Amino acid sequence: MIELLDSIEAPKRNDTGPVRLSVLDRYKEKNLYIMGKLENGVLKHGETYTLMPNKLKIEVDWLFDTEERGVPYAKPGESVRIRCKGVDNENEVTRGNVLCSNDDLCAIFNVFEAEIQVLELQEQQIIANGFKCILHFHTYIEECTIDIKCEIDRQKKTEKKVKFVRSQARIKAFVKTNNPLCGEKYERFPQLGRFSMRFEGMTIAIGKILKYKPYTK
């Protein structure tokens, strides 16, 4: 088992690109604190970043690692806690927000096209247009609706229009959520471009975002 674990290549993360930190939680204790996971770039103490989707400017007043030590910076893959300057109202920060470099902001959307691998469905269950389930997307948990664009035949490398699919199908589909999401295309930031779907307590599909329609109010 140890040899097998040692043979697994760790996921590659970019510590030279723009900052992307997905917010998991926040709380107020004199100052506002944000907890999350750094997916890309290097987060630095004393620097100012933009929190999406509200475009709030937040200064990293203090940065703590998982052992509650103050650190000067954090690298991709690390979970951190940030003491913030610039935000007094904790309700302006919610789970699923993304802290970004000021000159490179993540996208906001509530409709996206995805490639989806359907896993094991319950007996007689199908996925058709209008199917509703729960989307788990980095730190978001949102209800979503699926509209099938086509089914993908991996062996023949062809696509065909279908009205529904069953277990183990691979499809391209449009996914819509009621609330806007912050994220990226899979090809640019895999950690912020992949998702899973659950229905009645079961994980029924996994997927990746191919493209999105920018959100407008």
PDB file of all heavy atoms in Angstrom, residues 155-182:
ATOM      1  N   GLN A 155     -16.112   5.302 -27.650  1.00  0.00           N
ATOM      2  CA  GLN A 155     -15.434   4.375 -28.562  1.00  0.00           C
ATOM      3  C   GLN A 155     -15.491   4.878 -30.002  1.00  0.00           C
ATOM      4  O   GLN A 155     -14.484   4.888 -30.714  1.00  0.00           O
ATOM      5  CB  GLN A 155     -16.060   2.986 -28.460  1.00  0.00           C
ATOM      6  CG  GLN A 155     -15.813   2.326 -27.102  1.00  0.00           C
ATOM      7  CD  GLN A 155     -16.381   0.912 -27.066  1.00  0.00           C
ATOM      8  OE1 GLN A 155     -17.288   0.558 -27.835  1.00  0.00           O
ATOM      9  NE2 GLN A 155     -15.853   0.099 -26.152  1.00  0.00           N
ATOM     10  N   LYS A 156     -16.665   5.312 -30.428  1.00  0.00           N
ATOM     11  CA  LYS A 156     -16.812   5.800 -31.799  1.00  0.00           C
ATOM     12  C   LYS A 156     -16.427   7.273 -31.937  1.00  0.00           C
ATOM     13  O   LYS A 156     -16.319   7.787 -33.058  1.00  0.00           O
ATOM     14  CB  LYS A 156     -18.265   5.599 -32.264  1.00  0.00           C
ATOM     15  CG  LYS A 156     -18.710   4.147 -32.314  1.00  0.00           C
ATOM     16  CD  LYS A 156     -20.159   4.049 -32.778  1.00  0.00           C
ATOM     17  CE  LYS A 156     -20.621   2.607 -32.826  1.00  0.00           C
ATOM     18  NZ  LYS A 156     -22.040   2.499 -33.266  1.00  0.00           N
ATOM     19  N   LYS A 157     -16.233   7.925 -30.795  1.00  0.00           N
ATOM     20  CA  LYS A 157     -15.890   9.356 -30.769  1.00  0.00           C
ATOM     21  C   LYS A 157     -16.932  10.181 -31.531  1.00  0.00           C
ATOM     22  O   LYS A 157     -16.614  11.039 -32.344  1.00  0.00           O
ATOM     23  CB  LYS A 157     -14.488   9.582 -31.347  1.00  0.00           C
ATOM     24  CG  LYS A 157     -13.378   8.917 -30.541  1.00  0.00           C
ATOM     25  CD  LYS A 157     -12.016   9.177 -31.126  1.00  0.00           C
ATOM     26  CE  LYS A 157     -10.936   8.502 -30.296  1.00  0.00           C
ATOM     27  NZ  LYS A 157      -9.569   8.748 -30.859  1.00  0.00           N
ATOM     28  N   THR A 158     -18.188   9.862 -31.235  1.00  0.00           N
ATOM     29  CA  THR A 158     -19.296  10.576 -31.874  1.00  0.00           C
ATOM     30  C   THR A 158     -20.242  11.125 -30.801  1.00  0.00           C
ATOM     31  O   THR A 158     -20.195  10.717 -29.638  1.00  0.00           O
ATOM     32  CB  THR A 158     -20.088   9.645 -32.807  1.00  0.00           C
ATOM     33  OG1 THR A 158     -20.575   8.519 -32.059  1.00  0.00           O
ATOM     34  CG2 THR A 158     -19.201   9.150 -33.941  1.00  0.00           C
ATOM     35  N   GLU A 159     -21.103  12.041 -31.217  1.00  0.00           N
ATOM     36  CA  GLU A 159     -22.110  12.619 -30.336  1.00  0.00           C
ATOM     37  C   GLU A 159     -23.476  12.470 -30.987  1.00  0.00           C
ATOM     38  O   GLU A 159     -23.602  12.609 -32.204  1.00  0.00           O
ATOM     39  CB  GLU A 159     -21.809  14.100 -30.086  1.00  0.00           C
ATOM     40  CG  GLU A 159     -20.447  14.341 -29.424  1.00  0.00           C
ATOM     41  CD  GLU A 159     -20.138  15.813 -29.263  1.00  0.00           C
ATOM     42  OE1 GLU A 159     -20.926  16.653 -29.783  1.00  0.00           O
ATOM     43  OE2 GLU A 159     -19.117  16.160 -28.628  1.00  0.00           O
ATOM     44  N   LYS A 160     -24.491  12.190 -30.193  1.00  0.00           N
ATOM     45  CA  LYS A 160     -25.839  12.071 -30.738  1.00  0.00           C
ATOM     46  C   LYS A 160     -26.847  12.695 -29.771  1.00  0.00           C
ATOM     47  O   LYS A 160     -26.665  12.671 -28.548  1.00  0.00           O
ATOM     48  CB  LYS A 160     -26.197  10.611 -31.006  1.00  0.00           C
ATOM     49  CG  LYS A 160     -26.241   9.733 -29.776  1.00  0.00           C
ATOM     50  CD  LYS A 160     -26.674   8.306 -30.142  1.00  0.00           C
ATOM     51  CE  LYS A 160     -26.725   7.421 -28.888  1.00  0.00           C
ATOM     52  NZ  LYS A 160     -27.161   6.040 -29.211  1.00  0.00           N
ATOM     53  N   LYS A 161     -27.904  13.249 -30.338  1.00  0.00           N
ATOM     54  CA  LYS A 161     -28.940  13.855 -29.514  1.00  0.00           C
ATOM     55  C   LYS A 161     -29.804  12.759 -28.899  1.00  0.00           C
ATOM     56  O   LYS A 161     -30.183  11.801 -29.575  1.00  0.00           O
ATOM     57  CB  LYS A 161     -29.797  14.796 -30.358  1.00  0.00           C
ATOM     58  CG  LYS A 161     -29.055  16.052 -30.801  1.00  0.00           C
ATOM     59  CD  LYS A 161     -29.994  17.012 -31.519  1.00  0.00           C
ATOM     60  CE  LYS A 161     -29.270  18.290 -31.893  1.00  0.00           C
ATOM     61  NZ  LYS A 161     -30.182  19.271 -32.562  1.00  0.00           N
ATOM     62  N   VAL A 162     -30.110  12.905 -27.628  1.00  0.00           N
ATOM     63  CA  VAL A 162     -30.948  11.933 -26.915  1.00  0.00           C
ATOM     64  C   VAL A 162     -31.913  12.691 -26.006  1.00  0.00           C
ATOM     65  O   VAL A 162     -31.670  13.845 -25.641  1.00  0.00           O
ATOM     66  CB  VAL A 162     -30.097  10.965 -26.068  1.00  0.00           C
ATOM     67  CG1 VAL A 162     -29.253  10.061 -26.946  1.00  0.00           C
ATOM     68  CG2 VAL A 162     -29.222  11.736 -25.079  1.00  0.00           C
ATOM     69  N   LYS A 163     -32.994  12.026 -25.629  1.00  0.00           N
ATOM     70  CA  LYS A 163     -33.970  12.641 -24.732  1.00  0.00           C
ATOM     71  C   LYS A 163     -33.685  12.310 -23.275  1.00  0.00           C
ATOM     72  O   LYS A 163     -34.100  13.034 -22.374  1.00  0.00           O
ATOM     73  CB  LYS A 163     -35.380  12.188 -25.108  1.00  0.00           C
ATOM     74  CG  LYS A 163     -35.838  12.698 -26.469  1.00  0.00           C
ATOM     75  CD  LYS A 163     -37.270  12.274 -26.750  1.00  0.00           C
ATOM     76  CE  LYS A 163     -37.756  12.827 -28.086  1.00  0.00           C
ATOM     77  NZ  LYS A 163     -39.162  12.429 -28.377  1.00  0.00           N
ATOM     78  N   PHE A 164     -32.972  11.178 -23.042  1.00  0.00           N
ATOM     79  CA  PHE A 164     -32.624  10.802 -21.672  1.00  0.00           C
ATOM     80  C   PHE A 164     -31.435   9.855 -21.697  1.00  0.00           C
ATOM     81  O   PHE A 164     -31.093   9.284 -22.754  1.00  0.00           O
ATOM     82  CB  PHE A 164     -33.816  10.144 -20.959  1.00  0.00           C
ATOM     83  CG  PHE A 164     -34.250   8.842 -21.584  1.00  0.00           C
ATOM     84  CD1 PHE A 164     -33.675   7.633 -21.198  1.00  0.00           C
ATOM     85  CD2 PHE A 164     -35.234   8.820 -22.568  1.00  0.00           C
ATOM     86  CE1 PHE A 164     -34.073   6.437 -21.781  1.00  0.00           C
ATOM     87  CE2 PHE A 164     -35.635   7.629 -23.159  1.00  0.00           C
ATOM     88  CZ  PHE A 164     -35.042   6.436 -22.765  1.00  0.00           C
ATOM     89  N   VAL A 165     -30.812   9.649 -20.547  1.00  0.00           N
ATOM     90  CA  VAL A 165     -29.689   8.709 -20.426  1.00  0.00           C
ATOM     91  C   VAL A 165     -29.842   7.919 -19.131  1.00  0.00           C
ATOM     92  O   VAL A 165     -30.542   8.334 -18.202  1.00  0.00           O
ATOM     93  CB  VAL A 165     -28.326   9.427 -20.442  1.00  0.00           C
ATOM     94  CG1 VAL A 165     -28.055  10.048 -21.797  1.00  0.00           C
ATOM     95  CG2 VAL A 165     -28.230  10.468 -19.330  1.00  0.00           C
ATOM     96  N   ARG A 166     -29.119   6.795 -19.081  1.00  0.00           N
ATOM     97  CA  ARG A 166     -29.119   5.945 -17.887  1.00  0.00           C
ATOM     98  C   ARG A 166     -27.709   5.884 -17.292  1.00  0.00           C
ATOM     99  O   ARG A 166     -26.841   6.673 -17.664  1.00  0.00           O
ATOM    100  CB  ARG A 166     -29.632   4.543 -18.245  1.00  0.00           C
ATOM    101  CG  ARG A 166     -31.055   4.535 -18.811  1.00  0.00           C
ATOM    102  CD  ARG A 166     -31.551   3.108 -19.017  1.00  0.00           C
ATOM    103  NE  ARG A 166     -32.866   3.076 -19.676  1.00  0.00           N
ATOM    104  CZ  ARG A 166     -34.023   3.200 -19.045  1.00  0.00           C
ATOM    105  NH1 ARG A 166     -34.029   3.343 -17.721  1.00  0.00           N
ATOM    106  NH2 ARG A 166     -35.160   3.158 -19.710  1.00  0.00           N
ATOM    107  N   SER A 167     -27.507   4.937 -16.391  1.00  0.00           N
ATOM    108  CA  SER A 167     -26.214   4.790 -15.706  1.00  0.00           C
ATOM    109  C   SER A 167     -25.059   4.641 -16.695  1.00  0.00           C
ATOM    110  O   SER A 167     -25.215   4.036 -17.770  1.00  0.00           O
ATOM    111  CB  SER A 167     -26.248   3.558 -14.790  1.00  0.00           C
ATOM    112  OG  SER A 167     -27.229   3.695 -13.787  1.00  0.00           O
ATOM    113  N   GLN A 168     -23.906   5.203 -16.326  1.00  0.00           N
ATOM    114  CA  GLN A 168     -22.636   5.089 -17.049  1.00  0.00           C
ATOM    115  C   GLN A 168     -22.580   5.852 -18.366  1.00  0.00           C
ATOM    116  O   GLN A 168     -21.610   5.742 -19.116  1.00  0.00           O
ATOM    117  CB  GLN A 168     -22.282   3.610 -17.311  1.00  0.00           C
ATOM    118  CG  GLN A 168     -22.248   2.744 -16.060  1.00  0.00           C
ATOM    119  CD  GLN A 168     -21.317   3.279 -14.983  1.00  0.00           C
ATOM    120  OE1 GLN A 168     -20.227   3.762 -15.282  1.00  0.00           O
ATOM    121  NE2 GLN A 168     -21.761   3.225 -13.735  1.00  0.00           N
ATOM    122  N   ALA A 169     -23.589   6.643 -18.664  1.00  0.00           N
ATOM    123  CA  ALA A 169     -23.556   7.451 -19.894  1.00  0.00           C
ATOM    124  C   ALA A 169     -22.633   8.644 -19.698  1.00  0.00           C
ATOM    125  O   ALA A 169     -22.424   9.118 -18.586  1.00  0.00           O
ATOM    126  CB  ALA A 169     -24.961   7.925 -20.240  1.00  0.00           C
ATOM    127  N   ARG A 170     -22.073   9.109 -20.808  1.00  0.00           N
ATOM    128  CA  ARG A 170     -21.292  10.348 -20.796  1.00  0.00           C
ATOM    129  C   ARG A 170     -22.017  11.353 -21.690  1.00  0.00           C
ATOM    130  O   ARG A 170     -22.378  11.028 -22.821  1.00  0.00           O
ATOM    131  CB  ARG A 170     -19.875  10.118 -21.309  1.00  0.00           C
ATOM    132  CG  ARG A 170     -18.992  11.379 -21.217  1.00  0.00           C
ATOM    133  CD  ARG A 170     -17.576  11.086 -21.652  1.00  0.00           C
ATOM    134  NE  ARG A 170     -16.907  10.225 -20.708  1.00  0.00           N
ATOM    135  CZ  ARG A 170     -15.903  10.605 -19.929  1.00  0.00           C
ATOM    136  NH1 ARG A 170     -15.471  11.851 -19.979  1.00  0.00           N
ATOM    137  NH2 ARG A 170     -15.328   9.759 -19.110  1.00  0.00           N
ATOM    138  N   ILE A 171     -22.234  12.536 -21.177  1.00  0.00           N
ATOM    139  CA  ILE A 171     -23.031  13.515 -21.911  1.00  0.00           C
ATOM    140  C   ILE A 171     -22.386  14.899 -21.873  1.00  0.00           C
ATOM    141  O   ILE A 171     -21.519  15.181 -21.054  1.00  0.00           O
ATOM    142  CB  ILE A 171     -24.469  13.628 -21.317  1.00  0.00           C
ATOM    143  CG1 ILE A 171     -24.404  14.095 -19.855  1.00  0.00           C
ATOM    144  CG2 ILE A 171     -25.210  12.316 -21.449  1.00  0.00           C
ATOM    145  CD1 ILE A 171     -25.763  14.372 -19.231  1.00  0.00           C
ATOM    146  N   LYS A 172     -22.838  15.725 -22.809  1.00  0.00           N
ATOM    147  CA  LYS A 172     -22.625  17.160 -22.706  1.00  0.00           C
ATOM    148  C   LYS A 172     -23.981  17.753 -22.353  1.00  0.00           C
ATOM    149  O   LYS A 172     -25.004  17.352 -22.917  1.00  0.00           O
ATOM    150  CB  LYS A 172     -22.109  17.749 -24.015  1.00  0.00           C
ATOM    151  CG  LYS A 172     -20.638  17.457 -24.285  1.00  0.00           C
ATOM    152  CD  LYS A 172     -20.172  18.151 -25.553  1.00  0.00           C
ATOM    153  CE  LYS A 172     -18.703  17.842 -25.836  1.00  0.00           C
ATOM    154  NZ  LYS A 172     -18.248  18.472 -27.113  1.00  0.00           N
ATOM    155  N   ALA A 173     -23.998  18.679 -21.407  1.00  0.00           N
ATOM    156  CA  ALA A 173     -25.268  19.213 -20.947  1.00  0.00           C
ATOM    157  C   ALA A 173     -25.101  20.652 -20.495  1.00  0.00           C
ATOM    158  O   ALA A 173     -23.994  21.107 -20.178  1.00  0.00           O
ATOM    159  CB  ALA A 173     -25.812  18.367 -19.807  1.00  0.00           C
ATOM    160  N   PHE A 174     -26.226  21.358 -20.469  1.00  0.00           N
ATOM    161  CA  PHE A 174     -26.261  22.697 -19.889  1.00  0.00           C
ATOM    162  C   PHE A 174     -26.772  22.567 -18.459  1.00  0.00           C
ATOM    163  O   PHE A 174     -27.773  21.889 -18.213  1.00  0.00           O
ATOM    164  CB  PHE A 174     -27.177  23.612 -20.705  1.00  0.00           C
ATOM    165  CG  PHE A 174     -26.700  23.823 -22.114  1.00  0.00           C
ATOM    166  CD1 PHE A 174     -27.294  23.151 -23.177  1.00  0.00           C
ATOM    167  CD2 PHE A 174     -25.635  24.673 -22.385  1.00  0.00           C
ATOM    168  CE1 PHE A 174     -26.853  23.338 -24.475  1.00  0.00           C
ATOM    169  CE2 PHE A 174     -25.188  24.868 -23.678  1.00  0.00           C
ATOM    170  CZ  PHE A 174     -25.790  24.206 -24.725  1.00  0.00           C
ATOM    171  N   VAL A 175     -26.063  23.202 -17.553  1.00  0.00           N
ATOM    172  CA  VAL A 175     -26.429  23.153 -16.134  1.00  0.00           C
ATOM    173  C   VAL A 175     -26.792  24.564 -15.692  1.00  0.00           C
ATOM    174  O   VAL A 175     -26.048  25.515 -15.957  1.00  0.00           O
ATOM    175  CB  VAL A 175     -25.272  22.607 -15.275  1.00  0.00           C
ATOM    176  CG1 VAL A 175     -25.673  22.562 -13.803  1.00  0.00           C
ATOM    177  CG2 VAL A 175     -24.853  21.218 -15.759  1.00  0.00           C
ATOM    178  N   LYS A 176     -27.924  24.700 -15.005  1.00  0.00           N
ATOM    179  CA  LYS A 176     -28.375  26.014 -14.553  1.00  0.00           C
ATOM    180  C   LYS A 176     -28.633  25.984 -13.056  1.00  0.00           C
ATOM    181  O   LYS A 176     -29.236  25.050 -12.535  1.00  0.00           O
ATOM    182  CB  LYS A 176     -29.646  26.434 -15.291  1.00  0.00           C
ATOM    183  CG  LYS A 176     -30.126  27.836 -14.921  1.00  0.00           C
ATOM    184  CD  LYS A 176     -31.324  28.263 -15.751  1.00  0.00           C
ATOM    185  CE  LYS A 176     -31.758  29.682 -15.401  1.00  0.00           C
ATOM    186  NZ  LYS A 176     -32.908  30.138 -16.212  1.00  0.00           N
ATOM    187  N   THR A 177     -28.185  27.028 -12.364  1.00  0.00           N
ATOM    188  CA  THR A 177     -28.442  27.180 -10.934  1.00  0.00           C
ATOM    189  C   THR A 177     -29.270  28.435 -10.701  1.00  0.00           C
ATOM    190  O   THR A 177     -29.252  29.364 -11.513  1.00  0.00           O
ATOM    191  CB  THR A 177     -27.125  27.283 -10.141  1.00  0.00           C
ATOM    192  OG1 THR A 177     -26.374  28.417 -10.609  1.00  0.00           O
ATOM    193  CG2 THR A 177     -26.292  26.021 -10.316  1.00  0.00           C
ATOM    194  N   ASN A 178     -29.969  28.488  -9.587  1.00  0.00           N
ATOM    195  CA  ASN A 178     -30.773  29.672  -9.267  1.00  0.00           C
ATOM    196  C   ASN A 178     -29.897  30.859  -8.895  1.00  0.00           C
ATOM    197  O   ASN A 178     -30.199  31.999  -9.238  1.00  0.00           O
ATOM    198  CB  ASN A 178     -31.738  29.354  -8.115  1.00  0.00           C
ATOM    199  CG  ASN A 178     -32.801  28.353  -8.502  1.00  0.00           C
ATOM    200  OD1 ASN A 178     -33.221  28.299  -9.654  1.00  0.00           O
ATOM    201  ND2 ASN A 178     -33.228  27.534  -7.560  1.00  0.00           N
ATOM    202  N   ASN A 179     -28.803  30.584  -8.191  1.00  0.00           N
ATOM    203  CA  ASN A 179     -27.905  31.640  -7.742  1.00  0.00           C
ATOM    204  C   ASN A 179     -26.613  31.630  -8.559  1.00  0.00           C
ATOM    205  O   ASN A 179     -26.168  30.573  -9.018  1.00  0.00           O
ATOM    206  CB  ASN A 179     -27.571  31.447  -6.263  1.00  0.00           C
ATOM    207  CG  ASN A 179     -28.797  31.530  -5.382  1.00  0.00           C
ATOM    208  OD1 ASN A 179     -29.576  32.470  -5.476  1.00  0.00           O
ATOM    209  ND2 ASN A 179     -28.988  30.531  -4.529  1.00  0.00           N
ATOM    210  N   PRO A 180     -25.999  32.791  -8.750  1.00  0.00           N
ATOM    211  CA  PRO A 180     -24.740  32.842  -9.499  1.00  0.00           C
ATOM    212  C   PRO A 180     -23.600  32.163  -8.750  1.00  0.00           C
ATOM    213  O   PRO A 180     -23.556  32.175  -7.513  1.00  0.00           O
ATOM    214  CB  PRO A 180     -24.485  34.348  -9.663  1.00  0.00           C
ATOM    215  CG  PRO A 180     -25.242  34.989  -8.546  1.00  0.00           C
ATOM    216  CD  PRO A 180     -26.448  34.138  -8.327  1.00  0.00           C
ATOM    217  N   LEU A 181     -22.687  31.575  -9.497  1.00  0.00           N
ATOM    218  CA  LEU A 181     -21.521  30.878  -8.963  1.00  0.00           C
ATOM    219  C   LEU A 181     -20.251  31.593  -9.374  1.00  0.00           C
ATOM    220  O   LEU A 181     -20.212  32.259 -10.409  1.00  0.00           O
ATOM    221  CB  LEU A 181     -21.472  29.436  -9.486  1.00  0.00           C
ATOM    222  CG  LEU A 181     -22.734  28.583  -9.380  1.00  0.00           C
ATOM    223  CD1 LEU A 181     -22.507  27.261 -10.106  1.00  0.00           C
ATOM    224  CD2 LEU A 181     -23.118  28.351  -7.935  1.00  0.00           C
ATOM    225  N   CYS A 182     -19.200  31.426  -8.580  1.00  0.00           N
ATOM    226  CA  CYS A 182     -17.860  31.884  -8.966  1.00  0.00           C
ATOM    227  C   CYS A 182     -17.039  30.653  -9.327  1.00  0.00           C
ATOM    228  O   CYS A 182     -16.969  29.706  -8.539  1.00  0.00           O
ATOM    229  CB  CYS A 182     -17.179  32.616  -7.814  1.00  0.00           C
ATOM    230  SG  CYS A 182     -17.927  34.175  -7.368  1.00  0.00           S
TER     231      CYS A 182
END
